[in-house]
């Protein structure tokens, strides 16, 4: 039985983090973007604005994207730093395109939700935030990059 259970342990099921410990909250503050109009603004006062952010882990499969306001915090653990982002007031729900096939047993999108973004540096030493989504055996990463000033 143990073999069957451990066979499902995917590449990030026990992901320990990036090992990064030198990022400051001031470096994380600002606008972040991803695909399909996803945008997150992390403010200095610990509040956040979220636009079209998909669910983490298996919640991604439900196909919803949440917008609203919330809070954020930079944490530091043995495996490295992470941004904990909490949606506290949902203002809008959208579906990803193309939308997954609707399953009648799929629960309603949550009115509050929390994400855990790992903090890493890219090849140019710029910050990136990411979380894992979908089936753990696949290892998909939802990456947020810094918005550029216009």
């Amino acid at each position: 039985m143990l073999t069957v259970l451990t066979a499902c342990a995917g590449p990030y099921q026990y992901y320990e983090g990036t090992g990064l410990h030198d990022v400051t909250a001031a470096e994380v503050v600002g606008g972040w973007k991803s695909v399909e109009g996803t945008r997150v603004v992390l403010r200095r006062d610990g509040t956040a604005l979220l636009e079209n952010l998909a669910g983490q882990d298996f919640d991604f499969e439900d196909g919803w994207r949440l917008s609203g306001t919330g809070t954020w915090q930079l944490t530091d653990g043995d495996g490295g730093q992470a941004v904990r982002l909490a949606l506290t007031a949902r203002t809008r729900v959208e579906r990803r395109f193309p939308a997954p096939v609707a399953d009648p047993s799929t629960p309603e999108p949550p009115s509050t939700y929390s994400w855990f973004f790992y903090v890493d540096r890219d090849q140019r030493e710029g910050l990136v935030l990411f979380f894992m989504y979908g089936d753990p055996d696949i290892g998909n990463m939802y990456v947020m990059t810094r918005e550029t000033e216009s």
Side-chain angles (χ1 to χ4, degrees):
M1 181 69 164
L2 184 58
T3 303
V4 172
L5 292 175
T6 57
C8 294
Y12 70 83
Q13 191 163 2
Y14 302 105
Y15 187 70
E16 296 290 327
T18 62
L20 199 61
H21 296 281
D22 64 349
V23 175
T24 65
E27 287 180 277
V28 177
V29 167
W32 296 87
K33 65 180 180 169
S34 191
V35 296
E36 297 180 340
T38 298
R39 183 171 183 256
V40 173
V41 177
L42 305 176
R43 299 180 179 128
R44 291 188 193 287
D45 64 0
T47 61
L49 172 66
L50 297 78
E51 296 177 22
N52 301 320
L53 189 54
Q56 188 168 340
D57 298 324
F58 281 110
D59 291 337
F60 185 84
E61 303 301 330
D62 292 338
W64 47 256
R65 298 171 359 129
L66 303 176
S67 296
T69 58
T71 61
W72 71 277
Q73 176 183 15
L74 180 64
T75 64
D76 195 348
D78 292 341
Q81 292 174 288
V83 171
R84 294 187 185 273
L85 178 62
L87 174 72
T88 56
R90 185 181 79 187
T91 57
R92 189 173 70 242
V93 176
E94 293 187 11
R95 303 292 293 173
R96 277 197 329 273
F97 184 80
V101 175
D103 180 350
S105 65
T106 301
E108 286 293 314
S111 57
T112 62
Y113 193 80
S114 294
W115 292 264
F116 181 85
F117 285 91
Y118 294 103
V119 179
D120 204 1
R121 294 197 187 276
D122 63 18
Q123 295 173 342
R124 296 181 186 156
E125 293 301 308
L127 289 183
V128 293
L129 305 177
F130 69 94
F131 63 78
M132 306 298 191
Y133 70 90
D135 184 337
D137 293 326
I138 296 173
N140 292 319
M141 292 184 0
Y142 194 96
V143 179
M144 302 287 293
T145 57
R146 178 77 67 188
E147 284 184 328
T148 54
E149 298 290 327
S150 304

